[in-house]
Amino acid sequence: MDQVALITGASRGIGRGIALELASEGFDLVVNYAGNEAAAAETAKHCVERAAVGGHTIRVELCQADVGQAADRERLVEFTRESLGRLDLLVNNAGITSIGRADLLDATEENWDALMAVNLKGPFFLSQVAARWMVDQAKADTGRRPKIINISSVSAHAVSTNRGDYCVAKAGLGMVTKLFAARLADHGINVYEVCPGVIASDMTAPVKEKYDQLIADGLTPIRRWGEPSDVGRAVAALARDAFPFTTGEVFNVDGGFHVRTL
Ligand code: NAP
């Protein structure tokens, strides 16, 4: 059965890791990006190669869109409809870190608004547009079980006082997951939150040395950086419908960071 996944922010990092694992499963993909078209094209190339290893021939389409902009979100879903014709999985992955990483007492409203647009408003309203289409699809074809997966963060529950806006957005994304899970369950659409810990990507590259030390000192029971593929494999398991009697669930992919120790 052909399945289509739309992954936001799939040109680099975790989004690319998710795209590669879904390619292995044979998903056709829409690779969304904000501005780095070359990186998105590289993701697409690797996905086609990865799919071929598993014996799949997949289609991968690129779509530039800023998830913080309403018109772009509409265009992204419309592009998916026109290019691949259906939508079985939306992965809300695109995100930015706190601009300037300012202390809580110096944080600005301007930076708050910019981050919230991408990290919280974007996933909420993109889910809304996608869900309307998924509901129509589910009515027409009851054999399908579309899904929405939100990529949040350990910052949803662990405070960083120099990234307050980021923490609030990720905590809010947890509620977005629960809201859509409750609203869409009757349509056979499960909604999940995947909660990564410290993952090697361009986002964390500037703080690599700090985290190298923290991990060596025991920040996480599993003493290593997470890789984009770690998150991708969790998303692929959910996409495979491996947990059909779950929705609104949080899957921690954090090396055990959330386990409190004494
Ligand atoms: P990254 O390496 O900085 O990549 C960010 C991706 O998002 C890129 O593909 C970028 O596209 C895209 N993007 C940025 N702003 C966008 C916008 N307005 N509209 C559409 N796409 C946009 O980040 P990452 O580390 O892979 O993080 C991915 C997600 O995981 C984020 O939601 C992040 O909060 C979350 N997360 C990351 C970590 C970590 O340790 N890395 C941990 C927990 C959660 P371009 O290439 O075009 O710029």
Side-chain angles (χ1 to χ4, degrees), residues 163-179:
R163 292 187 295 130
D165 45 9
Y166 185 84
C167 295
V168 173
K170 292 301 187 183
L173 194 54
M175 181 52 79
V176 172
T177 302
K178 292 185 186 75
L179 285 165

Side-chain angles (χ1 to χ4, degrees), residues 9 11-12 14 34-36 65-67 93 152 166 170 197 199 201 204:
S11 45
R12 294 182 283 126
I14 291 172
N36 197 337
D66 176 353
V67 298
N93 165 77
S152 74
Y166 185 84
K170 292 301 187 183
I199 308 292
S201 76
T204 46

Side-chain angles (χ1 to χ4, degrees), residues 65-73 94 113-119 121-123:
D66 176 353
V67 298
Q69 302 290 330
D72 281 24
R73 291 190 294 270
D113 288 345
L115 183 137
M116 289 297 165
V118 179
N119 290 17
K121 188 174 78 171

Side-chain angles (χ1 to χ4, degrees), residues 28 128 152 230 234:
D28 291 329
Q128 183 190 66
S152 74
D230 289 312

Side-chain angles (χ1 to χ4, degrees), residues 95-104 106-108 110-116 118-119 153 155 160-170 203-204 206-207:
I96 57 173
T97 193
S98 193
I99 299 163
R101 293 179 181 248
D103 177 75
L104 213 52
D106 301 319
T108 66
E110 189 187 1
N111 288 347
W112 165 285
D113 288 345
L115 183 137
M116 289 297 165
V118 179
N119 290 17
S153 169
S155 297
S160 296
T161 54
N162 65 340
R163 292 187 295 130
D165 45 9
Y166 185 84
C167 295
V168 173
K170 292 301 187 183
M203 185 180 280
T204 46
V207 285

Side-chain angles (χ1 to χ4, degrees), residues 12-13 33 58 103 142 148 154 171 175:
R12 294 182 283 126
Y33 64 99
I58 62 166
D103 177 75
T142 49
I148 298 174
V154 290
M175 181 52 79

